Amino acid sequence: MKQVTVLGATGSVGVSTLDVISRSPDRFKVFALTANQSIARLEKQILQHHPLYAVVQDEQVAALLRASLKGARVNTKILSGAKALAQVASDDAVDYVMAAIVGAAGLLPTLAAAQSGKRVLLANKEALVMSGDLFMRTVMENNAELLPIDSEHNAIFQCLPRTYFSDPENSGIKKIILTGSGGPFRLASLSSLKTVTPEQACAHPNWNMGKKISVDSATMMNKGLELIEACYLFSLDPRLIDIVIHPQSIIHSMAQYIDGSVVAQLGNPDMRTPIAHALAWPERIESGVADLDMIVQARLDFEAPDYQRFPCLKLAQDAIRLGGAASVTLNAANEIAVAAFLSSDLAFTQIAQTIAYVQDNLSINTVDTVDQIIDADNKARDVAHEYIQQIASEKS
Ligand code: NAD
Ligand code: MG
């Protein structure tokens, strides 16, 4: 029986994780659930899964939850704050940690899970983008297991030979082909992008996801973050990773071997597949995902990404090539810009402009420690805020 902590349990990946877990009650037991604000959903999850702990950000929210659970037949301890989050990610009793908090907020608990040698199921790509080398080193030094949940990286993991991680040079791998749908604006006119709404940006054609990653998919910053994620997860130079637009999201990514073979992983676009894969690895379990019907699907299309339409993709490529703090500041500026777009304080096309401004106006070299990473992240957020305020004042 594996004890599982789900960080970000109330989000899109968190909910899918609990769905998969509930299909294998003989294998998995929920140890802790964490959430930010969605307490009604968290309460329902507590009543269903009876975790030992539930953690929310804010003590006031925790008090509300405790009051609401009074009289219910559960012994869940309700905690709050960053320390509690790290504690439930590293508790001795925990085997697996699903890292499904969105954004930089997930960095410390995800690192805590790696430090304490857990199987880390990594959905929270921002944590890896921010801490790259440090994160991978932490995993190695503490004998943690790192299994990718991001559908592309989970696909690549499945397509690579087992020998890849012990001897990549002799594994026969030539390059990786990372696929992306191109999001809701793949065919929109370039002039219309200035005025698209958050609602339009969040209406992804194939996936049902949280708002932040949905906007990232619309700008293709998501693919940029995934490029960086792939470089770290698979120790690859970015030049060995091709990005291909595949609008149907059926091929989740591919590995090209030196003999010309291309191995792909296919399936319906449903996160329960990579989640079930990583939870059960190296075994397989039921996920609840419908079989892929090739006849109904019928077509698989591919095209090259258009950098004029998706400048964020270029910004991410520049950041990983530059190294140092560039990925940290890219991610932080993106988080601020996406939040401003979602609250209608920034136009869609200004997301890339904000990030470019931050990258051009901030030079930080060393990010070797967690403190330096958090410092670079904070500085980039400040510069992004300044730029957005500047835009607002020019408008009024
Ligand atoms: P979501 O917005 O639906 O859920 C985010 C979760 O994190 C929620 O439980 C929320 O309560 C929690 N959270 C948010 N801010 C927090 C904070 N400051 N402190 C603590 N908890 C906080 O997001 P999602 O779509 O489930 O994505 C989660 C992560 O997984 C992201 O990093 C995303 O890039 C990655 N991911 C998601 C998908 C998908 O299909 N949704 C696919 C691949 C990767
Ligand atoms: Mg993905």
Side-chain angles (χ1 to χ4, degrees), residues 7-14 34-38 57 85 99-103 105-106 123-126 149-152 207-213 216 222 226 271:
L7 303 171
T10 54
S12 159
V13 172
T34 88
N36 192 22
Q37 297 286 353
S38 339
Q57 273 314 94
L85 211 52
I101 290 175
V102 58
N124 183 195
K125 65 193 86 181
E126 297 91 345
I149 295 299
D150 215 344
S151 57
E152 296 77 3
W207 296 95
N208 192 353
M209 311 181 285
K211 285 200 170 122
K212 193 261 176 183
I213 185 177
D216 285 349
N222 184 48
E226 290 183 357
M271 288 305 290

Side-chain angles (χ1 to χ4, degrees), residues 7 33-36 42 53-63 66 77-89 101 105 108-109 112:
L7 303 171
L33 296 173
T34 88
N36 192 22
L42 180 62
Y53 295 100
V55 182
V56 291
Q57 273 314 94
D58 191 87
E59 183 49 33
Q60 272 176 332
V61 175
R66 276 183 213 115
K77 293 187 196 75
I78 314 290
L79 308 175
S80 67
K83 230 172 128 187
L85 211 52
Q87 184 205 317
V88 298
I101 290 175
L108 293 179

